[in-house]
Every structure is written in structure tokens, then in C-alpha cells.
Amino acid sequence: MDDHSTTSTSHPEHQNAVVPFSASFTDKNMATARKIYFKVFVGASFMLVIAMYAVFSIYWGALWRTPAHTLPGWVVNFDQSDIGTAVVQGLIQSPASRITWTERPASDFFGGAEDVGRDISEEKAWVAVVVHANATSRLNAAVASADSSYNGTSAITVFANEARSENGFRSLIRPATEGALIAISQRFAQQFAKQLSSVSNLQTLLSNAPQIVISPISYTIDNLHPFDIPVATAITFVGLIYLLILSFFIVNIALSARQVSGIEQHLTTGSLIKVRLATTIAAYFVISLFYSLLSKAFQVDFSRKFGAGGFVIFWMLNFIGMLAVGLALESMITLLTIRFVPFFLLVWIITNVSVCFLPIEVLPRIYHYGYAVPFYNVSRAIRTILFSTKNNLGLNFGILLVWVAVSMITLPLFQWFMRRRHVSELNHAYEADKEVADSATSKQ
């Protein structure tokens, strides 16, 4: 009995030990665990709120005051008469809320309107309004002959490139251009109607060709590269987020494989770095193929620009794109560990997505960093493959490869740093165990 009492009082911590799966959260002996739990949970939640305001503000800011800047537009007057003068003055004097119009001399385009369209395809401007040669003389001839076949839309052509930025075209370029041209056409029609009041064949004109009186001039929109593949929205914007998420899955899978197998503790630093790079690159090569085949399965046409090789270029673009975004995550997870890398993932997604929804030119200038981020360059290259827009594949691939190269440098450096710290911690633990063992030996 005495021995039992002595044992109980000599080990009071046994009285406070928690039997597995037996405690309630409010028990007294859970006080320390509760304190740690709330410290971690509340602290991490607070960090999430800070990250939300710091990072989400980037995307909100990109859409807050749009457009923060106007897009450049051209007006080219091949007519050199009444219609041309009215259109040029109307556009130049229109409020520059979305497009700033600049008159380009007709002499700059020896091939006529076709040369203007070619320059829009080459992205030298976002939109161009062309007043065709002899537009005024054709209108006057139609009045004289009461030509019932006259069509006012033949006077003006608008050249645009929807596939360059479908959101920019639909929400900024087309509404602004149409609004300005409709106002110009109405003003011209009113002035022209006053001139017609004195013509001798007015009655015949109203009977045979009333459109000449009602709408003497109008316009036609020549969408040089229409965004006519609906599935492409998934590839050029939302799919980029999926590409990044897939890359993050590979990063987590590789980390789990290293931890479960124990190779991270057994391999040398150099060997571990080689394994990480080799397996990650191989995984991205295969995953990017199946990701590309998903679009192929939904009958996306990759042959418009590069023929049969278009799909292979698309696959390589996705492969290099996954390397660009995925190796950055692979590198940062080494330094931040799995606990904090989600915060980097949040920053990585938002900074990439914020510059892909609208043309960078209309965003505040701080967003010009977007020209160098992976998402923007992948999106631009995809548009070239799918819609035959301006070919900057060399630049796009080059920027992506720079991101790959940066990660190929930082990953070994971070791995070396973390291995060195890990080895130092193991040495300290070994020394501490050795001191305890030596102390126990000396007491004996």
C-alpha cells in the first residue's frame, strides 16, 4: 500500500496524462493543447485576412478603374473630301474615354485599306477606321442617278482584331468605335439632308433610294481575327489557372513521394536536387500532353497558323508553361515548406491572372509587369496558334524559359540552404542526446 502511494505521488504527471480518444475539448487537462490550437488557428486565419487584402487587391485594382488608360486607334482618310473630313474630325474630337484617335496619312499605306488591315493584324494599333477612296463622289453619283443599290456601309470600314483580346474588343473597342461612328453618321445625315432639299430629283430619290437620304454613310466592321472558338476561353484564361493548379498537384505529389519513401533523408544534396528536377520535368512533360489532348478532344483547331504542327507547338507551350509556374512552386516549397507555400500560391495566381483579362495597355501602369509573367505569355502564344494573331512565339517562349532558368537556379540554392540547416539541427540534437547519455552514465 505504501509502495503504491509513493509511486503515485512521485509521478504526478501521470495524473494529468490524457488517455487517447477520451478527452473533451473543454477538459482542464486539455488547457495546453487548447492554447496551442487557438494560437495556430487564429494566427493563421489572421495571416489569411492580411494576405487576402494584400493579394486580392491586385486583381480588384486591375478592374477598379477600367480603362485607366486609352487604347490607340487610327483613322485613315483615303477619300480626301466631305465624308473623309467629317469622319476624321468627328473621331479626333470625340472624347477619348476608351480610344485615342490619331489620323494617319493615306500616303503611309500604298496598298490602300488592305495595308491598314495588315498593320492591325500586326498589332501596330488596336483599331483603325478607314474612309474609302471616292466615298464622297460615289455618294454624289448615287444622288444624281437615284441609285437604289447604293449602300452607305461601303464608305467606312473598321479594322479590328478580336482575338488579340476578346474582352477588350467586346467591352472597350467595339462599343467606343460604334458609338462614335453612329454619332458621326447621324450628324452627317442631318447636314446632307439639308443639302438634298434643293436637288431637282428629290421626289425620285425618296421613292427609289430612300436609304441615301436616311443613311448616306455608315460602316462595316472587318474583324480580322475573330475569337470564334468558344472553347478557347478555357485555354486562354480559366485554363491557365487549371494549368497552375495541376503544377501544384505535381509539387505536392513529389513532396509526398519523397517523404513516404524516405529518400529525402538518405540522398546527398546533389542527388536529391537531380531527382527533384528530373522527376518534375518528366511529370510535366506527360501531364502537359494529356492537358493538351483535352482541348483536342473538344475539336479545337490547331492548324490555322502552323498547319499540322500547331498541336505540337501547343503541347510544348503548355509543357514550358507548366515548368515556368510549377518549378517556381517546387522551388518555393523548399524554402516555405508545405505550411506556408499556399500563401505563395495565392500571390502567384493573382499576379498572373490580373493581367490576362483585359489589355495591359488600359490597366494602371503598375500592371505592366504583366508583359513578363507566364500567364500573359502563354495566353498570347495560344492566340497566335489558334487565331493567327501576331507571331511573337519566340518572345513568349523566351520569357517562359527565363522563368524556368530562374527556378533551376533557386531550387538548388534553397535545397542546399535547407539541407544545411537540417544537418545543423540534427547535429545539435545528437549533441544534446549525447550530453544526456553522458550525464546518465556519470551518475551511475
Side-chain angles (χ1 to χ4, degrees), residues 222-236:
D222 188 351
N223 188 0
L224 300 166
H225 302 277
F227 194 89
D228 55 0
I229 304 176
V231 181
T233 301
I235 307 173
T236 58

Side-chain angles (χ1 to χ4, degrees), residues 72 127 136 159 276 286 292 313 327 388 427:
V127 61
T136 302
F159 291 103
R276 291 184 65 180
V286 176
S292 302
I313 297 174
L327 283 179
S388 298
N427 287 337

Side-chain angles (χ1 to χ4, degrees), residues 341-355:
V341 78
F343 290 98
F344 175 75
L345 177 64
L346 190 65
V347 174
W348 200 214
I349 291 176
I350 296 298
T351 53
N352 273 274
V353 166
S354 298
V355 295

Side-chain angles (χ1 to χ4, degrees), residues 88-322:
V88 170
Q89 290 180 352
L91 289 176
I92 297 298
Q93 295 172 5
S94 64
S97 59
R98 296 179 179 178
I99 299 175
T100 299
W101 296 100
T102 303
E103 183 179 5
R104 290 290 306 273
S107 58
D108 289 351
F109 306 96
F110 296 105
E114 289 185 3
D115 277 2
V116 179
R118 191 175 299 111
D119 281 357
I120 297 302
S121 289
E122 287 299 308
E123 302 180 1
K124 295 181 180 180
W126 281 87
V127 61
V129 173
V130 171
V131 183
H132 292 287
N134 303 315
T136 302
S137 61
R138 284 199 303 271
L139 174 60
N140 291 333
V143 171
S145 62
D147 185 0
S148 61
S149 65
Y150 176 80
N151 187 349
T153 60
S154 63
I156 304 169
T157 296
V158 178
F159 291 103
N161 182 354
E162 182 185 12
R164 183 179 179 183
S165 172
E166 69 280 9
N167 293 314
F169 174 80
R170 296 165 187 172
S171 63
L172 301 174
I173 297 171
R174 184 163 189 163
T177 304
E178 287 188 329
L181 289 178
I182 288 172
I184 292 169
S185 299
Q186 290 174 345
R187 284 198 301 268
F188 186 88
Q190 293 171 359
Q191 295 170 0
F192 192 65
K194 294 178 182 178
Q195 298 175 19
L196 293 177
S197 62
S198 60
V199 298
S200 58
N201 65 335
L202 179 58
Q203 189 63 42
T204 304
L205 189 63
L206 289 172
S207 299
N208 295 346
Q211 77 276 10
I212 296 177
V213 180
I214 297 171
S215 181
I217 64 171
S218 188
Y219 61 90
T220 300
I221 294 181
D222 188 351
N223 188 0
L224 300 166
H225 302 277
F227 194 89
D228 55 0
I229 304 176
V231 181
T233 301
I235 307 173
T236 58
F237 185 66
V238 180
L240 299 177
I241 302 174
Y242 300 156
L243 198 72
L244 179 52
I245 292 173
L246 288 173
S247 302
F248 187 58
F249 270 105
I250 295 299
V251 171
N252 276 331
I253 291 170
L255 176 64
S256 299
R258 294 195 303 273
Q259 291 177 340
V260 170
S261 64
I263 65 171
E264 190 147 355
Q265 286 73 38
H266 294 93
L267 296 181
T268 63
T269 303
S271 181
L272 179 59
I273 292 170
K274 291 176 183 177
V275 168
R276 291 184 65 180
L277 288 175
T279 54
T280 300
I281 292 172
Y284 288 157
F285 186 78
V286 176
I287 297 298
S288 64
L289 171 60
F290 284 97
Y291 174 80
S292 302
L293 287 172
L294 179 63
S295 298
K296 188 73 171 177
F298 284 90
Q299 300 180 351
V300 174
D301 184 5
F302 296 100
S303 63
R304 290 182 175 180
K305 183 76 171 180
F306 302 103
F311 176 76
V312 177
I313 297 174
F314 178 69
W315 172 23
M316 290 299 100
L317 177 65
N318 287 324
F319 171 51
I320 302 300
M322 289 189 80

Side-chain angles (χ1 to χ4, degrees), residues 326-378:
L327 283 179
L329 289 167
E330 186 75 34
S331 179
M332 293 305 296
I333 200 172
T334 309
L335 192 65
L336 300 176
T337 72
I338 192 63
R339 291 178 60 193
F340 297 105
V341 78
F343 290 98
F344 175 75
L345 177 64
L346 190 65
V347 174
W348 200 214
I349 291 176
I350 296 298
T351 53
N352 273 274
V353 166
S354 298
V355 295
C356 290
F357 187 72
L358 288 171
I360 293 178
E361 289 88 339
V362 304
L363 304 181
R365 298 202 183 280
I366 191 173
Y367 290 92
H368 283 201
Y369 74 82
Y371 291 117
V373 299
F375 275 20
Y376 176 79
N377 285 278
V378 172

